[in-house]
Amino acid sequence: VGLIRSDWPVFVAEGETTRCVGDVLALVVADTRFGAKQAAEVLEERVRYEVLTPVTDPVEALSEESPSVHDGGNLLDVCAYARGDVDAALEGAAHVVERTYVTQRIEHAFLEPEACLAAPAGSGGPLKVYTQGQGVHEDQAQIASVLGLDSGSVEVELVSNGGAFGGKEDLSIQAQTALAALITDRPVRTILTREQSIRMHPKRHPITLHYRAGADAQGRLTAVRARIIGDTGAYASVGMKVLERAAGHSCGPYRVPAVDIEAKTVYTNNPPCGAMRGFGANQASFAIEGVMDLLAEEAGIDGYDIRERNILAPGDRFATGQVMSGSCGIRQTLEAVRDVYKEAKHAGIGCGIKNTGIGNGMDDSGRLLLSVLDDDRLEILTGYTEMGQGLFTVLRQVVHEETGLPVDCMDVRTASDPRVVCGMTTASRATALLTAAGRIAAEKLAGDLAGVHGSLADLVGREYHGEYVCDFTTKPGADVADPVTHMTFSYATQVVILDENGLLERVVAAHDVGRAINPVLCAGQIEGGVHMGLGYALSEDFPCTEGIPDSLLLRDLGILKAKDTPEIEVILVEVPDEVGGYGSKGVGEIGLVPTAGAVAAALHSFDGKRRFELPMSDAPAARSSVPKSRREASA
């Protein structure tokens, strides 16, 4: 199975080579958990391995001498594009900086480990699979493929997701559970322990980013050259798209006349890496924000002024060449935090940009179906996943806005109905696309309610379909005059303030959200993103030795503790978008895009030290959250 490349075995057969410690060898089915555990222990005793030397360094994996993790070699993908004459621009630049930035592998640590229930329907009906996945239609297609069935013979429905952050995009246990149900002709439920979950699902990519950048005497960027290598681990997952996104966002929200960017995605025997909140933009942001601070120092200006001179404006070109539209609101977010940054003693500032929608020539679509049921009930059916971000609440708001119907008469459900194919819930796109699709469907219902039919009771059995499709994007590097790599973007500026002891005191996060459909949910998303970004910057890590995780315990992940989380002030900036429903832009991921860069700048303000590697665990602000074992090892 695999979302892009089918390279991930559901079971590793006897005699096959395993590629990582998260591979599945067998599934034990029993009537009780105790019985299953006993049988699994017996099975484990009978497994024998021939241990091979693992491939763990992505740079070494690219050498001709390296063993191949997969047939065809270890280079999974290359994303490259260029604009302008970078060599000439660097030669003529007043200031040139060159640095390598290194980011780490981390775990999603979502609230609920993976679980799945598969139940035979009987009488020739479809196999019903209840899943936590982030894409019911992708799950349906992959499960059906594993079982040798057509997609219509498998029905997938979302249950409470328990959080995801990208970690539930790939199939985890759904195919194995469905196969067991098919073989036994009985309902089968599989639930992972936390340790199994951490061992099995993909992580955030560790990425190495080498930058050479130039600016004129006033600190205005003239050129950026970046070479990026990402360790995607044992399986592709969506790794090539993560590195594509890192390449596309390599210049951040800044105007750069000449760019030369190359990003390589490399297989190793480390744990697989895939989607995680930010999807490559975080890693690129840490690097480009660090470059901006180095250039500011060279030009003799502060972090605010260099950003103010370089940020994108409508009509400017993004790194990929896309011309920014009138909804580009990065300047408004920057100006919103000017005084906070200028007046603080120890502060760092970072700007961020994050695509809304997958883009890059792929389909971005939202589909929704309103069905009028008995008892004055209305069902809202969609293919996008509710994973705690508040999507179902927003959809109720849309229908209420257009029809005036009370929200408590509405039930929202996600299932693999072909009429609501939406693709994977990723790229901060669900709200922007589904509010547009929901508005179309709700307006049809409102028209009937305002006409000869005055109530839902008069419309029982009727259905109203809404569809919104964005199919106008192009791949990075496409030979077109005006590439449009994404349907739109969201923007942010964050200021991180430290106290006299170098501890986190306050974070001010100004975000252009287009239109805050639900301001409380919107601010909550940003607060959660900032918390995750602070942990990413300071203390989180998922170290592995010879491809084996050093620990599978939550307490060893380095997640920022609640007691160490500073005050977070969210400023919602609304610059309406031309594409998203009601002018909305995605906010799910950008909450932590600029955070690490702002933390690095704040730490430099405090102790004068530049930091080029994550996590920055030597900082006072990190010490209480870094696990004891890692503190001792670093000491």
Side-chain angles (χ1 to χ4, degrees), residues 231-256:
D231 179 359
T232 207
Y235 300 108
S237 180
V238 291
M240 58 278 269
K241 293 300 175 184
V242 171
L243 269 296
E244 183 180 79
R245 199 72 77 249
H249 287 65
S250 57
C251 296
Y254 303 113
R255 179 179 58 256
V256 187

Side-chain angles (χ1 to χ4, degrees), residues 165 277 522-534 568 570 588 591-592:
F165 308 119
R277 197 176 195 178
C522 189
Q525 276 274 55
I526 294 167
E527 289 173 3
V530 169
H531 171 269
M532 186 177 279
L534 292 172
I568 301 171
V570 175
L592 68 156

Side-chain angles (χ1 to χ4, degrees), residues 20-23 44 105-110 113-114 192-203 270-272 541-545 547-559 627 629-630:
C20 69
V21 296
D23 279 334
E44 187 174 355
R105 177 187 301 104
I106 68 168
E107 152 70 18
H108 301 74
F110 37 69
E114 296 86 341
L192 295 185
T193 65
R194 177 63 69 176
E195 289 77 12
Q196 288 169 337
S197 171
I198 292 175
R199 182 187 292 270
M200 290 173 63
H201 68 249
K203 307 289 177 267
N270 291 319
D541 200 358
F542 190 74
C544 297
T545 304
I548 300 172
D550 292 357
S551 173
L552 296 173
L553 301 178
L554 270 175
R555 69 176 183 228
D556 290 336
L557 296 176
I559 297 169
S629 58
R630 277 203 274 126

Side-chain angles (χ1 to χ4, degrees), residues 369-372 419 459 461-465:
L369 186 70
L370 302 179
S371 300
V372 183
R419 296 171 294 179
L459 299 171
R462 293 206 181 187
E463 295 179 335
Y464 302 87
H465 189 255

Side-chain angles (χ1 to χ4, degrees), residues 150-209:
D150 62 86
S151 291
S153 298
V154 178
E155 183 180 335
V156 178
E157 182 166 348
L158 174 76
V159 293
S160 295
N161 178 277
F165 308 119
K168 292 176 180 175
E169 287 191 16
D170 301 86
L171 279 189
S172 58
I173 52 175
Q174 296 97 321
Q176 296 93 337
T177 307
L179 178 62
L182 196 67
I183 290 172
T184 62
D185 197 33
R186 293 176 62 181
V188 175
R189 183 177 63 174
T190 308
I191 305 170
L192 295 185
T193 65
R194 177 63 69 176
E195 289 77 12
Q196 288 169 337
S197 171
I198 292 175
R199 182 187 292 270
M200 290 173 63
H201 68 249
K203 307 289 177 267
R204 186 191 297 286
H205 282 76
I207 299 181
T208 299
L209 310 98

Side-chain angles (χ1 to χ4, degrees), residues 139-468:
D139 287 2
Q140 178 190 40
Q142 292 183 92
I143 293 167
S145 175
V146 170
L147 301 181
L149 302 174
D150 62 86
S151 291
S153 298
V154 178
E155 183 180 335
V156 178
E157 182 166 348
L158 174 76
V159 293
S160 295
N161 178 277
F165 308 119
K168 292 176 180 175
E169 287 191 16
D170 301 86
L171 279 189
S172 58
I173 52 175
Q174 296 97 321
Q176 296 93 337
T177 307
L179 178 62
L182 196 67
I183 290 172
T184 62
D185 197 33
R186 293 176 62 181
V188 175
R189 183 177 63 174
T190 308
I191 305 170
L192 295 185
T193 65
R194 177 63 69 176
E195 289 77 12
Q196 288 169 337
S197 171
I198 292 175
R199 182 187 292 270
M200 290 173 63
H201 68 249
K203 307 289 177 267
R204 186 191 297 286
H205 282 76
I207 299 181
T208 299
L209 310 98
H210 182 81
Y211 274 65
R212 192 159 187 251
D216 65 17
Q218 288 74 42
R220 292 182 177 86
L221 288 163
T222 57
V224 169
R225 173 170 282 138
R227 295 295 179 262
I228 303 170
I229 295 179
D231 179 359
T232 207
Y235 300 108
S237 180
V238 291
M240 58 278 269
K241 293 300 175 184
V242 171
L243 269 296
E244 183 180 79
R245 199 72 77 249
H249 287 65
S250 57
C251 296
Y254 303 113
R255 179 179 58 256
V256 187
V259 298
D260 174 17
I261 312 297
E262 180 187 79
K264 294 181 178 179
T265 313
V266 185
Y267 281 124
T268 67
N269 291 122
N270 291 319
C273 291
M276 188 172 180
R277 197 176 195 178
F279 206 86
N282 309 327
Q283 296 94 320
S285 177
F286 174 60
I288 189 63
E289 292 301 301
V291 165
M292 295 300 287
D293 288 329
L294 291 174
L295 287 171
E297 191 171 46
E298 291 282 328
I301 56 179
D302 68 15
Y304 181 92
D305 290 341
I306 195 167
R307 287 167 174 81
E308 194 275 334
R309 293 176 191 184
N310 287 283
I311 53 170
L312 292 165
D316 290 338
R317 291 191 183 272
F318 184 53
T320 61
Q322 178 167 345
V323 176
M324 307 311 292
S325 70
S327 67
C328 176
I330 183 64
R331 176 171 294 277
Q332 290 89 326
T333 69
L334 182 65
E335 291 175 348
V337 300
R338 181 188 184 280
D339 293 343
V340 170
Y341 173 74
K342 293 279 190 179
E343 293 170 5
K345 183 177 181 181
H346 302 304
I349 190 169
C351 294
I353 184 171
K354 178 66 177 70
N355 58 291
T356 294
I358 294 176
N360 296 142
M362 299 182 69
D363 175 66
D364 280 308
S365 57
R367 294 182 178 88
L368 178 143
L369 186 70
L370 302 179
S371 300
V372 183
L373 310 178
D374 292 330
D375 301 322
D376 288 330
R377 303 296 301 172
L378 184 68
E379 181 182 79
I380 306 172
L381 182 68
T382 181
Y384 276 134
T385 294
E386 165 65 70
M387 59 184 105
Q389 80 274 41
L391 179 64
F392 285 3
T393 299
V394 165
L395 292 182
R396 289 184 174 96
Q397 285 183 250
V398 170
V399 176
H400 170 76
E401 177 76 12
E402 300 303 326
T403 66
L405 292 170
V407 294
D408 57 8
C409 81
M410 305 173 198
D411 301 309
V412 191
R413 192 165 65 94
T414 296
S416 56
D417 189 303
R419 296 171 294 179
V420 292
V421 173
C422 289
M424 189 66 65
T425 307
T426 188
S428 302
R429 62 181 180 165
T431 293
L433 290 169
L434 269 189
T435 50
R439 187 176 193 174
I440 292 169
E443 285 175 344
K444 297 175 185 177
L445 172 57
D448 279 357
L449 288 172
V452 295
H453 307 287
S455 68
L456 284 179
D458 298 324
L459 299 171
V460 172
R462 293 206 181 187
E463 295 179 335
Y464 302 87
H465 189 255
E467 177 182 77
Y468 189 79

